[in-house]
Amino acid sequence: MSVASLGYIGFEVSDLGAWDSYLTGFLGLMPGRSNGTSARYRMDDRAFRLQIDEGKADDISFIGLEVETWEGMQALRGKLDKEGVKYAPASDNLKAERGVRDLIVLTDPAGLQVEIYVGATVLTSVPFNSPAGVSEYLTGEQGAGHVVLASEKIDEVRDFYTRLLGFRLSDTIGIAIAPDFTLTLEFYHCNPRHHTLALAPMPAPKRLHHFMVEMATMDDVGFAMDRIEKCGVKQTMTLGKHSNDRMISFYAATPSGFEVEVGTAGIAVHDEVWRVTHHEVTSMWGHKRCS
Ligand SMILES: [Fe+2]
């Protein structure tokens, strides 16, 4: 039994106002119903895909991993029980806040809160409408996008997401940092999105290196690039095409310092025919660091 997709992402941020402008004006997410002090944003028919809470961390604070069915949720609970993995059934308050029917809360070996749930709220009567004119975000079975986590405890983190939660390795990229040192990034899928999760085995000031949102068309990405200057956003990497998922994307700094990747046209992975491979570069072209 494995999780099916990244359903939502939570960030703890020091400047809610800057994030609100960033998510709506620059990325084009639609404001959703807020819950208390949390602000929530939509990318599709789901009640929310991103949530921001005020705090000092300026980092990712939780991820929601979706299970497809009620039976699948029970099977995953059974597996975690069998493995002796600690988890907490969510309170009615937390379930209501997330808008899901069932939810358990775990902590990954690096300390990130991982929420596994079933039965997310869908708002068919309030259609998604991007305030910046994004035609569509590619979500559906591929979920909200991807997250790249940095951790020194790579063996434990890998074991948690693969053996316990069912993520499968897509491929690896070796980056030559020095003549005698190569950093190997690991990319994992849990649905046809090439990677929902990537792990970087390194110490870092924040858990999250970047998160990625995938837009439906190249025009959507182009229009987002046109908004960089208008929205006072700092671009961090030029347009480029990744070697492994073939995503055409650019990167920008968020108000919390970590980055967002805005992309389109990533390839789909199908387990029956997929072969795990290794790449020596992160990008076929582009993705040059901006000064
Ligand atoms: Fe990425």
Side-chain angles (χ1 to χ4, degrees):
M1 192 57 235
S2 65
V3 297
S5 63
L6 173 66
Y8 53 78
I9 313 173
F11 302 115
E12 184 183 310
V13 308
S14 56
D15 191 341
L16 284 171
W19 266 93
D20 185 72
S21 309
Y22 190 89
L23 291 176
T24 57
F26 172 52
L27 289 183
L29 272 64
M30 177 184 180
R33 274 192 305 239
S34 287
N35 254 328
T37 56
S38 304
R40 310 202 301 174
Y41 299 87
R42 293 178 57 187
M43 298 169 70
D44 52 16
D45 61 0
R46 294 297 180 86
F48 79 106
R49 289 291 194 178
L50 295 186
Q51 174 171 320
I52 53 174
D53 292 277
E54 194 164 17
K56 290 181 181 157
D58 278 313
D59 200 354
I60 192 169
S61 52
F62 61 84
I63 53 172
L65 298 175
E66 182 166 303
V67 175
E68 289 157 308
T69 63
W70 195 260
E71 293 73 24
M73 188 73 187
Q74 305 320 311
L76 191 56
R77 276 175 181 254
K79 183 179 178 183
L80 295 173
D81 287 337
K82 205 172 138 201
E83 296 284 346
V85 177
K86 283 191 196 149
Y87 63 86
S91 63
D92 288 345
N93 267 354
L94 184 61
K95 280 190 274 191
E97 209 173 286
R98 301 287 192 258
V100 299
R101 302 308 298 165
D102 192 19
L103 186 156
I104 57 174
V105 181
L106 294 80
T107 305
D108 86 4
L112 177 64
Q113 181 166 317
V114 176
E115 302 177 359
I116 299 176
Y117 71 88
V118 66
T121 300
V122 174
L123 301 177
T124 55
S125 62
V126 190
F128 171 75
N129 185 10
S130 167
V134 175
S135 69
E136 191 184 345
Y137 283 97
L138 200 147
T139 55
E141 68 172 348
Q142 297 199 16
H146 71 227
V147 291
V148 178
L149 304 175
S151 175
E152 288 179 287
K153 296 181 174 175
I154 186 83
D155 292 339
E156 292 154 84
V157 174
R158 179 195 302 117
D159 185 67
F160 177 87
Y161 285 103
T162 58
R163 191 173 60 80
L164 292 178
L165 302 189
F167 279 83
R168 282 90 67 195
L169 183 66
S170 302
D171 43 40
T172 53
I173 301 180
I175 306 171
I177 303 283
D180 57 350
F181 180 68
T182 297
L183 183 76
T184 302
L185 306 176
E186 303 174 7
F187 297 81
Y188 293 95
H189 64 276
C190 59
N191 58 48
R193 184 179 295 288
H194 173 277
H195 58 282
T196 289
L197 171 74
L199 301 177
M202 58 185 196
K206 294 180 195 293
R207 283 202 179 99
L208 184 69
H209 178 270
H210 73 266
F211 69 102
M212 186 282 302
V213 292
E214 183 167 358
M215 294 176 175
T217 68
M218 191 60 231
D219 285 343
D220 288 319
V221 174
F223 287 129
M225 294 188 78
D226 275 356
R227 290 193 295 274
I228 289 173
E229 202 175 341
K230 194 182 100 192
C231 296
V233 169
K234 180 177 170 13
Q235 187 174 0
T236 51
M237 287 232 258
T238 63
L239 192 71
K241 183 171 183 175
H242 278 305
S243 57
N244 58 351
D245 68 354
R246 311 292 165 98
M247 182 81 72
I248 299 174
S249 59
F250 72 92
Y251 288 66
T254 68
S256 288
F258 57 79
E259 295 175 41
V260 65
E261 177 182 6
V262 179
T264 193
I267 58 167
V269 165
H270 298 288
D271 282 306
E272 320 80 63
V273 292
W274 183 253
R275 295 291 179 271
V276 174
T277 55
H278 178 72
H279 297 268
E280 295 181 333
V281 290
T282 57
S283 303
M284 296 167 60
W285 52 264
H287 287 149
K288 306 297 179 206
R289 268 284 148 207
C290 302
S291 49

